Amino acid sequence: MRSNVSLTSRDQIEVYQFSLLISIGVPILALLLQSFLPTHMRFMAIFDLPLLVTIFFGVARRNQISGMALGAILGILQDSLTHHPLGVFGIAKTVTGYAASSLGVKIDVENPGSRLLMTTAFTLLHGGLVFLVMRFLVADPMQPVSWRWIHELGSAVANGLLAIILFSVLDRFKQRG
Amino acid sequence: MDNIMTGRHKNITILAIVLTAQFFGLAAQIRRPADQGMGTPLIRTWVITAITPIEKFFVHTASGIRNTFGSYFYLRGVRKENESLRAQVEQMRLQQVRLQEDAAQAHRLQNLLGFKEQFISETLPAQVIGTSGSDASRVIYIDKGTSDGVKDNMAVITPDGVVGKVAKAFHGSSQILLISDQSWGAGGILTQSRLQGIVKGTQAGTVQMTYIMSDNQIKPGEQIVTSGGDRIFPKGLPLGTVKEVSPGKDLFLNIRVAPAADLNRIEEVLVITKIVERANDPSELSGPIRASDILAQRLPSVPQKPAEATTAAPATSPATTKPDVVPAKTTTPKDSKPSGTAPQGN
């Protein structure tokens, strides 16, 4: 099976494609691992594998529509595993996917340092959006949700560090567009 | 003027449409929550139905391998453990007389007051197969669902204490909301001061007891058990221990609780599938009762093997049974086990 997902491109920046198997399999695997790993290792919940996959594909494809679509789908699937209303992660990942692909269009984000900074920033953006949606749309006024700087920063840096490793693994599946 | 769907604003327009659709979807769910007539969103059912069988496969394969190796190492320590258990049984026999007298006295008093007790009559063992994967939602998934008799709002425990409740039961799996989640709480009672409050989670995943007035004296180390007032948990199940007490806002104490069950390392749980309510029968206490009988009635126990269950279930008086035979209770439904615990007075 050699069916490539076609993506739009800009001439001056490299645009990558991925096989259909990788385009579908990696997001599903990320979702599965995100649900399964914290069963035995609770600390794994600090990572957000679907978010990292959204950022990676968004930056690599450099296509805003596919970036936001992947973010929206993965976010809603992730919402399905929680007891919250569907849309909390969906909204946050839609915006993050759009922003990641927008950034990918403008600058080269392929070295580890920029990947660390970019992923840390996008994780904070994602956390901020989840917080805003939870605080103003979902949470019970009697049980307000508060912003936890230390937790969010720790999570952002942890995801940034994991992104360096994960993205280098996923780089192997890139195909020039 | 460019058409917004074909011009340079196309992408941002699509983003706005996608976000708006999700906002409306979110708003619809919040306006019509599941307990007000709207069922589970179909996509949630699909995702959980698709993911949980894979997680079941991983968990069961891993536990099969672990059990194979574990059995070998287990056998090596059986002799020593057997000696230790024999010593423990002797200790328990010494406690038997005191427990028997206390229980008889308590039952007599309860009868005088017309108390009815709630007993856990059936529990269903289940394996934890997944989580929500997010710190924002303290949820786990188990490998038993409606096809096994699990229903929404059933209590979920371990031998150590309360774990949570069934938030949503699906066909082959169930979503369990942990006691550490912020969105709900269980009625709790402090065992020494007898004060009642709500034990619930916080955003950080810790557990606290709320609605205890600040003029009360609570000491760290005091046990908290379920009060039975929430109609989910029978009275008397361990919820946790008071860890720290500090003045809170609005005249209430801020009581941090160490959960009785280790919520970060749960592998197996028991779902309470049936609770029976009955008044005490004084005749039950007419003869001498062994400590093991009391424990078998009060605590969730390991399921009996079918063949042994029928042979070991004595119709005779407990006093006539051999000391090392644990009497089984009534018939056991598939995968369920009879046990009794935690009387609740109404």
Side-chain angles (χ1 to χ4, degrees), chain A residues 34-35 39 42 45 64-65 68 77 79-86 90-91 94 137 143 145-146 148 151, chain B residues 11 15 22-23 26 29-30 43-44 47 55 130-131 133 135-137 141 175 181-183 200 203-204 264:
Chain A
Q34 187 68 39
S35 169
T39 309
R42 186 71 210 175
Q64 292 166 329
I65 293 177
M68 85 172 85
L77 293 179
D79 279 321
S80 301
L81 293 171
T82 71
H83 68 293
H84 297 144
L86 302 181
I91 290 169
T94 302
L137 294 176
Q143 298 164 353
V145 177
S146 55
R148 296 179 292 157
H151 179 267
Chain B
N11 289 354
L15 174 67
Q22 292 190 64
F23 273 118
L26 196 64
Q29 293 171 74
I30 293 165
I43 190 166
R44 176 162 283 158
V47 169
E55 290 179 331
T131 68
D135 280 338
S137 176
Y141 287 89
Q175 187 187 60
D181 192 87
Q182 193 182 17
S183 61
K200 60 184 292 187
Q203 191 185 350
N264 292 323

Side-chain angles (χ1 to χ4, degrees), chain B residues 58-69:
Chain B
F58 281 131
V59 168
H60 291 162
T61 306
S63 63
I65 294 168
R66 199 166 53 232
N67 288 343
T68 305
F69 285 99

